[in-house]
Amino acid sequence: MVGSAGSLAGCTSSEGGGSGSAGRAVSATTVRGLRRRAARDSEDLLARYDTTAEAHPALAGTLGPFRDAVAAHLAALNEGDETPPGPSGGPPEVPADRNRALTALADAEREVADARQRAVAEASPDLARLLASLAAAGSAQAYLLHEAR
């Protein structure tokens, strides 16, 4: 079941202008800001996966497909961006307990998914579709990480 986590969301997008969900015009600056924020969240998730795998080497195989999915999401968000953002801070702290470490990852996935779902209302139609897809994938990953405990 874990191996299917990476295929839960289509991770390609083409960005056009257009109007947001409410039929209002969305500026290119707003779209760029939303994409960069989402990309930074994915960078932070990647750092969390890497740090967790380093702290709990026995989890590395389990976490690999989840990390791969986040990397694919990041690639889709950075598509066409000449200067992609990096992680927003230092390495995250990882709980020493294996189950708590998985719970922390699941919580981080859920927080990012929730933020992406909220951003859909502000996004252009193309970006809204991508963010909604990534939010659904993140929610699924959070569920599967809880199941892996």
Side-chain angles (χ1 to χ4, degrees), residues 79-131:
E79 187 177 285
D81 193 348
E82 295 175 11
T83 55
S88 62
E93 291 188 33
V94 176
D97 178 75
R98 172 194 187 278
N99 287 341
R100 286 191 176 151
L102 287 170
T103 297
L105 276 172
D107 291 346
E109 283 277 10
R110 189 170 298 104
E111 287 174 22
V112 169
D114 290 347
R116 289 177 176 164
Q117 190 61 41
R118 285 189 303 273
V120 165
E122 301 174 51
S124 67
D126 285 343
L127 182 57
R129 284 188 289 275
L130 177 60
L131 291 174

Side-chain angles (χ1 to χ4, degrees), residues 50-75:
D50 291 342
T51 305
T52 301
E54 288 172 15
H56 298 278
L59 288 176
T62 299
L63 298 179
F66 294 99
R67 187 198 184 283
D68 291 347
V70 173
H73 299 168
L74 178 60

Side-chain angles (χ1 to χ4, degrees), residues 32-48 70 73-74 77-78 81 83-89 112 116:
R32 191 170 33 259
L34 290 170
R35 280 183 90 91
R36 287 186 151 226
R37 192 170 321 129
R40 193 170 29 258
D41 288 345
S42 287
E43 287 277 3
D44 291 345
L45 277 174
L46 281 178
R48 183 171 292 281
V70 173
H73 299 168
L74 178 60
L77 289 163
N78 283 336
D81 193 348
T83 55
S88 62
V112 169
R116 289 177 176 164

